[in-house]
Amino acid sequence: MNDEGFMRAALHEAEKAFSEGEIPVGAVIVLEGSIIAATHNCNRAEQNPTRHAEMIAIERAAAAVGNERLLGCTLYATKEPCAMCAGAIIHARIGRLVIGARDARFGACGTVFSVCGDPRMNHVPEISFGLLADESARMLQDFFRLRRG
C-alpha cells in the first residue's frame, strides 16, 4: 500500500466517527509498510477530551510495538493535529506525519501553531500536507453542516 492507500484507511476511520456522531477525524499509524493502529475520534462517546484519533492511535501503536517510542512510524491524519496531539506525536518520536486537511482554528503543525515542525523541539517529524485534503475537508464540512442544520 502507498501513502494514498494509508490515507484512505484513515478516511475510512473518519467515516466511522461521522456515523457515530463524532467529529470525523481518522488516524492510521504505519510501520514498515503495515498498519499497526487505525482509529477515529471518540471523545464524545467516552466523554473524554483526550480521545482524539491521533492520541488513541499512538496508544495502540505503542502497545503493538511494546515501546513508547514509535521510531520509523508514519502517522496519517485526515485533519491537522491540535496542540495536544502534536505534542504526543513529538513525544512518541513519530518520524513522519501525513496530513489531509489543514485546521485553520486549531492546527498545530504549521497552520495556526507550529508544535510539530518547531526546530526548538527535541524531535521534529517530517510533515506533508494535502493528501486527499478535499475529501477530508468535505467530510468535516458535511458533519458540521448537519450539526448546525
Side-chain angles (χ1 to χ4, degrees), residues 13-119:
E13 289 293 328
E15 289 169 359
K16 291 180 189 177
F18 190 111
S19 70
E20 295 169 7
E22 299 280 356
I23 295 173
V25 177
V28 168
I29 296 181
V30 173
L31 177 62
E32 298 174 354
S34 296
I35 295 173
I36 60 170
T39 190
H40 55 277
N41 277 3
C42 65
N43 47 301
R44 290 181 174 161
E46 294 187 20
Q47 299 178 342
N48 183 334
T50 68
R51 305 313 286 161
H52 288 190
E54 301 93 332
M55 299 292 286
I56 300 165
I58 288 168
E59 288 175 18
R60 290 181 182 176
V65 300
N67 193 327
E68 77 276 13
R69 301 285 188 244
L70 298 175
L71 302 170
C73 288
T74 299
L75 189 153
Y76 296 83
T78 59
K79 182 186 72 60
E80 183 177 1
C82 68
M84 172 182 68
C85 295
I89 289 164
I90 290 167
H91 285 291
R93 308 294 194 274
I94 290 171
R96 185 167 169 246
L97 177 58
V98 180
I99 301 166
R102 287 188 181 268
D103 184 342
R105 293 185 65 205
F106 301 106
C109 299
T111 301
V112 178
F113 307 105
S114 290
V115 176
C116 281
D118 187 327

